[in-house]
Amino acid sequence: MWAYDDSRAALRDVLRLSRTMTYKAAVADLPLGGGKGVIMLPAHGPIPSERRHLALLDFADTVESLGGRYITAEDVGTSSRDMAVIAERTRHVAGLARVRGGSGDPSPLTALGVEYAIRACCERVFSSGSLRGRTICVIGLGHVGSRLAKRCQRAGAKLLVSDVDPSRRRLADELSARWVAPEGALETEAEILAPCALGGFLDDETVPRLRSTIVAGAANNQLADDVIADTLAARGILWAPDFVVNAGGVINIAEELGGYDPAAARARVRGIADTLRRIFDDAEAIRATPLTAALELARRRLAAAKA
């Protein structure tokens, strides 16, 4: 659920997100396809709660009309309470509260997966997966970013944080982290940049200004264009494909569909590190970027599923 200037922008976004979701599920080796739904909000600001409720029910009717070919779950702009509203009209919804038999908010699992992805990147670059003493800049302190920041702080990282919402500065104080103004966050000198806000920020203008060795975060569609992966590699920056790094949420949902076991879900989310290790090895073997290796892995799995 997001505000767009017009319906064309919303359509472009949902197509881009659905493509990413397809690759995400395939690389994570899940028995799911790829799909995305967008509820378009007006650009002028939030809508009344009653209108929001009706929009959720309307979306639920659309999901129900697909007869189970599409399962919706919580994402940007929605919550487990919103999923409960959608469940009034369709059973094809995941991410319901634990008291209703669901797995609840997927953000903790997404943050867990990002942490393990960062550890795998550190292994590749620094020959150790430990985060102790590593400088990590987390950009975006929403549901996932705030949890990731706390995990990194507990792991002994030197933490920098940033968000466009100045009220999030309280978290910096709680974690004894250094607050970075959002306009300068990308250029912050940190070993690891962990973007957890919205995507599309890595482009020909921003990449030359990066001062990090690793970029690994929860934000979707971080690259303005796939060719930016080559630009990052040319600068000696290890970029972990976002659809691999942030797969914790959909992995958690897949576990829910088979009868939810929190321990099994967490174990599988930790496996994101192993998936990245394979991708990095494949990329090195074929002398390509991690993006190319990840897309190739996704295509092979999609082809096998089709066959």
Side-chain angles (χ1 to χ4, degrees), residues 277-294:
R277 293 184 188 105
R278 173 178 177 175
I279 287 168
F280 293 152
D281 286 342
D282 289 350
E284 185 175 340
I286 63 176
R287 297 184 179 181
T289 66
L291 175 62
T292 297

Side-chain angles (χ1 to χ4, degrees), residues 218-304:
N220 280 311
N221 298 318
Q222 295 171 20
L223 305 183
D225 189 280
D226 285 357
V227 73
I228 299 299
D230 297 288
T231 308
L232 287 159
R235 286 211 57 209
I237 298 172
L238 179 63
W239 178 73
D242 46 46
F243 56 87
V244 181
V245 174
N246 63 20
V250 72
I251 292 172
N252 188 55
I253 291 299
E255 288 292 326
E256 178 182 335
L257 297 177
Y260 191 60
D261 179 348
R266 293 178 69 85
R268 190 156 190 180
V269 169
R270 292 189 189 98
I272 287 174
D274 291 329
T275 302
L276 269 180
R277 293 184 188 105
R278 173 178 177 175
I279 287 168
F280 293 152
D281 286 342
D282 289 350
E284 185 175 340
I286 63 176
R287 297 184 179 181
T289 66
L291 175 62
T292 297
L295 291 175
E296 181 57 30
L297 175 59
R299 291 179 183 122
R300 287 199 305 268
R301 286 181 171 167
L302 289 169

